[in-house]
């Protein structure tokens, strides 16, 4: 599995293993250490470094991190970095905030150590839980597609491996593993899914539920990639730029299928500095296209405003050096996206 992951990344000569001290990432570190001792993968030279990220969210986290560093050094990985991060509060929950802080630390370590890939220990069980959470939240194709085996420098070689198998690897290698208490904390939806929901599904529906969910993710990844490609092409052909935003022609946008139209709208929001809109916000923008209610604005996450104006209004606003004001009327034919920046910006 690791060989295939490195092959897909072009066989980087130096790789970085992210390790928490848990069985999944320790098993991955152990496998990577085997190839580090050999000095090559499929005849291609390779060396392996490691990084341990201390999120400082639990009592005793520093001790766990230090012990994990010692284990990784004992496996022969070099160098092994310990990075301590501050997890800032965000509007997306503690798990997302911790993930953002961790990924920033991993990227910084990879850059400093000149590593072409970062290995993460997510397993098939993690993938199944991700898909199930996406279903429960009513998410779209991209979310249900789960975690990618490769995204930029991030590689997940163990997505086809069960969690029980990583435990077996650690037992065979006699590695002392740490079990994160938050993984069993019912305060987190992911923990409840792992401890309560997945075992119930396996009991009531029979074995193989996790594999089926992971297979669903693999299928949907292909669908999501195809739709993303079509949406990128459509957006490139529709977008028009102004000094303070972008606009899309209403008639041509309306001609797109809903699956593409929603994605194109999301791309316009991202293009001016916004965040991924939820389904409800996308429907609100759809209402502008259907000319339901006012001409806007509709507020999207990340301080983005969307409204309809006519081409003549846009031209008058540009000629006057100002911003056109949306109004009702049959002449409205453009969907405008602007970022509402703070005064000091």
């Amino acid at each position: 599995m690791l060989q295939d992951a490195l092959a897909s990344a072009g066989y980087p000569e130096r790789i970085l293993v992210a390790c928490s001290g848990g069985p999944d990432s320790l098993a991955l570190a152990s496998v990577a250490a085997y190839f580090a001792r050999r000095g090559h993968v499929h005849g291609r030279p390779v060396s392996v470094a490691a990084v341990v990220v201390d999120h400082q969210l639990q009592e005793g986290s520093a001790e766990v991190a230090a012990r994990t560093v010692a284990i990784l050094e004992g496996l022969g990985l070099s160098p092994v970095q310990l990075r301590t991060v501050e997890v800032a509060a965000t509007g997306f929950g503690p798990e997302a905030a911790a993930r953002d802080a961790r990924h920033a630390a991993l990227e910084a370590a990879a850059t400093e150590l000149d590593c072409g890939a970062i290995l993460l220990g997510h397993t098939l069980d993690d993938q199944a839980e991700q898909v199930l959470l996406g279903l429960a939240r009513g998410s779209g194709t991209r979310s249900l597609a789960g975690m990618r085996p490769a995204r930029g420098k991030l590689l997940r070689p163990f997505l086809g491996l069960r969690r029980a198998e990583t435990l077996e690897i650690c037992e065979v290698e006699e590695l002392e593993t740490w079990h994160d208490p938050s993984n069993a904390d019912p305060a987190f939806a992911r923990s409840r899914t792992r401890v309560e929901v997945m075992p119930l599904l396996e009991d009531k529906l029979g074995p193989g539920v996790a594999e089926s969910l992971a297979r669903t993710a693999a299928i949907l990844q292909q669908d999501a990639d195809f739709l993303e490609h079509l949406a990128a092409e459509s957006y490139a052909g529709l977008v028009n730029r102004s000094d303070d935003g972008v606009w899309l022609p209403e008639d041509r946008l309306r001609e797109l299928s809903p699956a593409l139209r929603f994605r194109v709208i999301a791309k316009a929001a991202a293009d001016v500095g916004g965040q991924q809109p939820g389904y409800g916000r996308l429907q609100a923008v759809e209402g502008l296209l259907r000319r339901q209610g006012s001409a806007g604005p509709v507020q999207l996450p990340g301080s983005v405003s969307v409204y309809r104006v006519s081409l003549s209004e846009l031209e008058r606003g540009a000629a006057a050096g100002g911003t056109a004001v949306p109004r009702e009327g049959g002449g409205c034919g453009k969907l405008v996206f602007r970022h509402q920046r703070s005064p000091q910006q």
Side-chain angles (χ1 to χ4, degrees):
M1 288 182 178
L2 179 56
Q3 301 99 307
D4 293 339
L6 294 178
S8 70
Y11 292 106
E13 292 188 10
R14 189 160 183 78
I15 60 178
L16 181 70
V17 179
C19 189
S20 66
D24 299 341
S25 58
L26 267 183
L28 180 58
S30 175
V31 172
Y34 166 76
F35 289 103
R37 290 191 294 271
R38 294 178 62 188
H40 66 88
V41 176
H42 287 166
R44 308 291 185 94
V46 67
S47 62
V48 185
V51 61
V52 180
V53 178
D54 178 10
H55 300 83
Q56 304 184 92
L57 296 177
Q58 298 168 348
E59 186 177 350
S61 66
E63 289 78 7
V64 171
R67 184 166 64 248
T68 303
V69 167
I71 293 173
L72 296 174
E73 290 175 338
L75 287 172
L77 303 187
S78 179
V80 179
Q81 284 194 354
L82 170 59
R83 290 189 172 243
T84 301
V85 298
E86 298 284 344
V87 178
T90 69
F92 299 96
E95 288 180 285
R99 182 180 62 248
D100 290 345
R102 178 169 63 254
H103 281 193
L106 296 179
E107 291 285 352
T111 299
E112 181 179 318
L113 299 174
D114 195 27
C115 294
I118 303 169
L119 306 185
L120 304 179
H122 296 111
T123 65
L124 184 147
D125 295 82
D126 295 309
Q127 185 76 299
E129 292 158 10
Q130 184 83 357
V131 175
L132 199 57
L133 284 168
L135 284 169
R137 292 166 179 160
S139 301
T141 307
R142 175 56 66 197
S143 178
L144 296 181
M147 295 174 284
R148 289 178 173 275
R151 183 171 63 83
K153 284 187 176 183
L154 300 179
L155 303 180
R156 297 181 172 90
F158 279 5
L159 280 183
L161 208 63
R162 295 300 303 265
R163 189 170 292 136
E165 293 174 288
T166 66
L167 285 166
E168 290 178 9
I169 292 173
C170 291
E171 289 175 2
V172 169
E173 296 296 324
E174 298 182 343
L175 298 174
E176 182 183 353
T177 60
W178 171 70
H179 294 272
D180 187 347
S182 69
N183 288 335
D185 188 346
F188 299 106
R190 182 175 296 277
S191 301
R192 295 194 300 274
T193 301
R194 175 177 298 185
V195 176
E196 301 174 13
V197 180
M198 286 299 298
L200 180 63
L201 289 176
E202 294 276 358
D203 178 55
K204 298 300 181 182
L205 301 179
V209 172
E211 287 85 354
S212 295
L213 289 169
R215 186 164 57 250
T216 297
I219 294 169
L220 288 177
Q221 280 172 12
Q222 298 178 34
D223 294 348
D225 288 345
F226 178 66
L227 287 170
E228 179 66 18
H229 174 71
L230 292 180
E233 287 187 336
S234 297
Y235 182 67
L238 292 176
V239 65
N240 294 269
R241 302 185 183 280
S242 62
D243 290 340
D244 57 352
V246 302
W247 58 269
L248 305 171
E250 184 184 23
D251 54 349
R252 293 178 60 193
L253 185 59
R254 195 185 291 113
E255 290 172 357
L256 297 176
S257 68
L260 288 181
R261 191 160 60 241
F262 276 13
R263 285 170 169 80
V264 167
I265 291 170
K267 284 185 174 299
D271 201 354
V272 296
Q275 300 165 0
Q276 175 63 39
Y279 184 64
R281 291 290 82 198
L282 290 172
Q283 282 188 312
V285 178
E286 279 271 280
L288 296 179
L289 288 175
R290 293 192 299 269
R291 302 195 173 231
Q292 295 176 345
S294 72
V298 169
Q299 301 299 328
L300 298 182
S303 302
V304 171
S305 291
V306 188
Y307 47 82
R308 293 195 325 264
V309 297
S310 69
L311 178 59
S312 60
E313 285 179 292
L314 281 174
E315 290 172 339
R316 286 199 304 272
T323 299
V325 178
R327 72 180 177 197
E328 288 291 358
C332 290
K334 311 296 174 183
L335 210 59
V336 180
F337 295 73
R338 287 199 174 99
H339 192 282
Q340 305 304 302
R341 292 173 174 80
S342 60
Q344 60 267 33
Q345 291 180 301

